[in-house]
Amino acid sequence: MAILKSMTRRSVLASGAALGAGLAVTLSGTRAVLADTPLKVAGIHASPVENAWNSRLHEALLAAAKDGVIEYEFSEGVSGTDYPRAMREYAEKGVDLIVGESYAVEREARQVAKDYPDVAFLMGSSGEASGDNFGVFGTWNFDGAYLAGMLAGKMTKTNVVGSVGAIPIPEVNLLINAFNAGVHEVNPECKTLVSFIGTFFDPPKAREAGLAEIDAGADILFGERIGTADAAKERGIKAVGSLIDYTDRYPDTVFANAMWYFRPILDAAVADVKAGKPVGKIYTAYGLMKDGGSDIVYTKGVAPKEAEEAMEKRRAEIKAGTFEVPRDMSEPK
Amino acid sequence: MEILDIFASAGLWAAVLRIATPLIFGTLGALLCERSGVLNLGIEGIMTFGAMAGWLAVYNGADLWMGLLVAALCGALFGLLHAALTVTLGLSQHVTGLGITLFASSLSYFLFRLIVPIKGTPPTIVPFQPIDIPGLSDLPFVGPALFTQTAPTYLAIALAVVLGYVLFFTPLGLAVRMTGENPHAAEAQGVNPITVRYGAIMAGSALMGVGGAFLTLSAFNSFFPTMIQGRGWVCIALVVFSSWRPSRALLGALLFALFDAYQLRLQTAVGKAVPYQLFLMVPYIMSIVALVVMARRARVPQALMQAYRRGER
């Protein structure tokens, strides 16, 4: 918040100084994007920015603003029915790049992009890129999940690990399947449980799903959703987090996290906009481990030493491009 | 096989009580409002606000019980608003209720954002812990199944008993029921329907607020603006299921929670054979079936959703 405020103040000062010079240009409607001026970026978040996924975007955008690469303003908790309106408003306002999520408004979002060909869009989406200005990205942090699975597979004593997911959309499936594949690489006999809570934001329910899996014998939980680790904490077992680093929130419970970083995707899109290149492409790959978009963050010494060594070996192979984590988008069983 | 073994696990029954608690509070609250003749569709929003206000109080250093009290007071305030609009002004109870839901949900988000700084994940509090009841909690099976709950769960069950007693065995309860059946007759007996309705709506809304606060003070330790997830609407359905009786409201909430806890366990037990969506549907389908069966004998308060205007015939 403090960063944001100071940023706004700075931008107000800057715009005040630039007003005289820039007025003519702005009024004539041409948007000159200079290579060294910060890009005007708007973030439109369908959920509160505390929500794990949105927090990744928000954090990366704030960091980019701090670095002076972009000027960032945002709206949060924008419902699907209001989303295209928010997009249009920012587009009319003259931002250069709109970052957000079109999962619930795939068609409408593309229509807005068509109506504002001068504005670039970078959207979290399950669909394809469209036109010259509508780029999409998926959230592929499954490399980290696979590596966390390699640790979990060696740590389980009951030989049962469980995952709690929201809804089996491709990105969630990829993640849980990769975690299970990692478990099975080191422990083919291990049983993997999966449950879905059927909603994205219901932490008490995710906790109940986690407790149900513990009752069914699981002694390591992979929490695609926040709330899962609370179940693990309550029963004194270990858990794996996803997207963000949950270690501080659950110090003795969460020992590994399949991290996802939005900055590489953002940087790629910002570079394209500044270079005047079309952004109507899929940016997902920048979020893979090879490009620094995903990784595992873990507490050393929790898993057996051999497990950590085997995992580190795979990690190096994935980074080097010699090992590819299987991409399985089918619903995990 | 596994499908039936689930019923023999203590974990299932413990989960039933946990999942049922917010529903019990909410259903009792909605029931009380409706017994006085006023439908309160503000429940979803009031629960959200209760969840936020209770959590915020504890986050700022209040005791957990004080958090529940704050949630109750905030609920009562929204109840006052609902009563002013539907009782004094006699506006449509449907529209007013939905309006209050929208207002209360958005207001909780807004206040939360104003007061609590943005972080990666929302800050936490230390929630209610399960209480150990000497003698009972150590019993085999029954102990872990029924006596490992947090205090508000026992409070919810006790409240169902208290509300049942008050409604059916005290003059106050009679006044509430009479107002819901025939406010003119109540007035003729010297009962002021306006006062009764204000009181019932405010008390009922207070219970709704507590139901929401259970989610942030016991079931979880943080507030998310969207976390009520339709639990309020389930309560409205449960009131019909209960035929406006607190004992059956308790039963209905427990039954709904049973199906929910059961489906979570079914997913892991036979998840490979059946799509998970079917399991998620189970509690709702069972509620509809139960509604159909129970609604045949449902006795709707006769003056429900009718504004009372003095001297009107």
Side-chain angles (χ1 to χ4, degrees):
Chain A
M1 214 53 195
I3 299 165
L4 196 74
K5 267 183 193 149
S6 68
M7 191 202 81
T8 319
R9 217 173 287 135
R10 197 197 307 148
S11 62
V12 167
L13 289 174
S15 58
L19 196 63
L23 200 59
V25 182
T26 318
L27 285 179
S28 70
T30 41
R31 190 172 304 116
V33 180
L34 300 170
D36 49 348
T37 51
L39 214 57
K40 286 200 192 75
V41 178
I44 309 178
H45 303 279
S47 309
V49 289
E50 282 96 357
N51 171 40
W53 188 82
N54 296 87
S55 78
R56 301 314 287 161
L57 270 62
H58 188 61
E59 198 182 286
L61 287 159
L62 284 178
K66 203 178 173 195
D67 294 349
V69 184
I70 62 169
E71 280 171 14
Y72 173 49
E73 53 185 333
F74 70 98
S75 301
E76 58 172 334
V78 180
S79 68
T81 44
D82 204 23
Y83 204 92
R85 196 268 313 157
M87 290 173 75
R88 283 180 198 281
E89 203 169 306
Y90 278 118
E92 290 284 345
K93 214 171 158 186
V95 300
D96 303 305
L97 171 67
I98 292 178
V99 176
E101 52 195 297
S102 60
Y103 295 103
V105 287
E106 299 283 10
R107 193 176 302 161
E108 297 89 331
R110 283 169 177 76
Q111 183 58 49
V112 174
K114 221 176 259 173
D115 293 347
Y116 296 92
D118 292 342
V119 181
F121 294 84
L122 175 64
M123 298 299 221
S125 165
S126 300
E128 297 291 323
S130 134
D132 279 343
N133 65 332
F134 192 87
V136 293
F137 63 91
T139 310
W140 285 12
N141 57 330
F142 56 82
D143 291 328
Y146 185 89
L147 296 174
M150 287 180 70
L151 296 181
K154 282 288 183 197
M155 284 167 65
T156 172
K157 294 191 178 65
T158 56
N159 239 10
V160 183
V161 300
S163 306
V164 176
I167 294 173
I169 59 170
E171 285 162 345
V172 172
N173 295 347
L174 269 174
L175 193 66
I176 294 179
N177 283 325
F179 177 78
N180 288 346
V183 169
H184 286 140
E185 187 197 319
V186 297
N187 185 355
E189 300 301 308
C190 188
K191 198 173 164 194
T192 50
L193 307 176
V194 180
S195 34
F196 292 104
I197 57 172
T199 166
F200 283 95
F201 313 107
D202 195 340
K205 189 145 192 180
R207 169 173 166 250
E208 286 297 341
L211 288 172
E213 289 185 339
I214 297 172
D215 285 344
D219 68 347
I220 309 249
L221 292 185
F222 176 44
E224 195 269 320
R225 286 288 118 190
I226 186 167
T228 316
D230 292 82
K233 187 178 163 195
E234 196 177 319
R235 299 288 179 89
I237 65 163
K238 299 287 178 195
V240 176
S242 180
L243 291 175
I244 59 177
D245 186 351
Y246 285 101
T247 317
D248 288 342
R249 193 179 169 103
Y250 309 98
D252 297 320
T253 305
V254 172
F255 70 98
N257 300 277
M259 301 292 291
W260 183 64
Y261 303 95
F262 179 63
R263 192 70 195 270
I265 293 178
L266 177 67
D267 285 346
V270 167
D272 281 344
V273 175
K274 283 195 171 174
K277 289 187 197 160
V279 298
K281 57 182 184 182
I282 299 175
Y283 285 89
T284 308
Y286 293 98
L288 287 173
M289 196 163 176
K290 274 189 295 194
D291 296 275
S294 123
D295 206 347
I296 182 173
V297 167
Y298 68 107
T299 313
K300 287 201 172 57
V302 179
K305 201 157 178 284
E306 327 68 271
E308 285 184 0
E309 278 164 6
M311 186 276 288
E312 284 291 357
K313 197 165 153 262
R314 274 277 177 265
R315 189 184 187 182
E317 284 171 5
I318 296 173
K319 281 184 177 162
T322 54
F323 178 82
E324 259 197 33
V325 173
R327 292 176 191 177
D328 179 2
M329 293 198 191
S330 65
E331 192 180 318
K333 301 287 183 190
Chain B
M1 65 157 273
E2 276 180 296
I3 299 176
L4 294 175
D5 284 349
I6 296 172
F7 288 104
S9 77
L12 172 80
W13 299 102
V16 168
L17 288 177
R18 272 196 310 269
I19 297 173
T21 304
L23 301 177
I24 297 173
F25 280 117
T27 308
L28 292 178
L31 186 148
L32 183 55
C33 296
E34 291 185 30
R35 269 288 179 180
S36 80
V38 179
L39 178 71
N40 191 348
L41 293 183
I43 183 167
E44 184 84 5
I46 295 174
M47 285 179 80
T48 309
F49 201 91
M52 194 280 296
W55 180 88
L56 200 59
V58 176
Y59 179 64
N60 283 312
D63 181 26
L64 283 164
W65 289 104
M66 189 55 81
L68 283 187
L69 187 66
V70 167
L73 288 175
C74 290
L77 271 181
F78 280 105
L80 181 64
L81 177 63
H82 189 61
L85 294 171
T86 58
V87 179
T88 305
L89 298 180
L91 300 177
S92 157
Q93 299 180 2
H94 283 115
V95 177
T96 306
L98 291 176
I100 286 185
T101 281
L102 292 173
F103 173 56
S105 314
S106 309
L107 188 64
S108 6
Y109 188 2
F110 182 59
L111 291 179
F112 180 73
R113 182 54 85 235
L114 282 185
I115 299 170
V116 183
I118 295 178
K119 281 194 185 170
T121 59
T124 57
I125 52 136
V126 179
F128 280 103
Q129 300 299 317
I131 44 177
D132 202 34
I133 306 172
L136 292 176
S137 300
D138 303 328
L139 292 174
F141 188 78
V142 181
L146 303 181
F147 298 106
T148 51
Q149 301 296 326
T150 58
T153 299
Y154 302 117
L155 176 68
I157 294 167
L159 266 174
V161 178
V162 169
L163 187 63
Y165 176 79
V166 170
L167 272 181
F168 294 102
F169 297 98
T170 65
L172 178 65
L174 183 63
V176 171
R177 285 186 293 133
M178 217 159 116
T179 305
E181 296 295 336
N182 188 338
H184 299 278
E187 176 112 70
Q189 293 292 318
V191 171
N192 184 345
I194 307 284
T195 316
V196 169
R197 283 189 170 174
Y198 262 88
I201 298 169
M202 287 176 69
S205 303
L207 289 180
M208 296 170 185
V210 172
F214 177 82
L215 291 173
T216 47
L217 299 184
S218 178
F220 197 59
N221 53 11
S222 296
F223 171 74
F224 284 81
T226 48
M227 71 191 297
I228 302 299
Q229 289 288 329
R231 285 177 177 88
W233 308 133
V234 170
C235 293
I236 295 290
L238 283 175
V239 174
V240 182
F241 172 87
S242 74
S243 307
W244 290 266
R245 285 169 183 277
S247 56
R248 289 191 195 158
L250 178 64
L251 181 75
L254 289 172
L255 206 59
F256 184 89
L258 173 63
F259 291 129
D260 204 10
Y262 186 56
Q263 68 88 5
L264 284 174
R265 283 157 180 79
L266 267 184
Q267 278 196 43
T268 54
V270 291
K272 287 179 174 59
V274 191
Y276 89 105
Q277 288 91 343
L278 282 179
F279 300 128
L280 283 176
M281 273 190 263
V282 166
Y284 299 94
I285 291 176
M286 293 315 290
S287 310
I288 292 171
V289 170
L291 266 179
V292 169
V293 175
M294 298 292 282
R296 291 169 61 87
R297 290 183 294 149
R299 292 208 173 78
V300 190
Q302 285 303 300
L304 183 60
M305 287 184 274
Q306 290 171 14
Y308 174 67
R309 293 186 181 86
R310 269 213 174 93
E312 188 186 65
R313 291 197 215 195

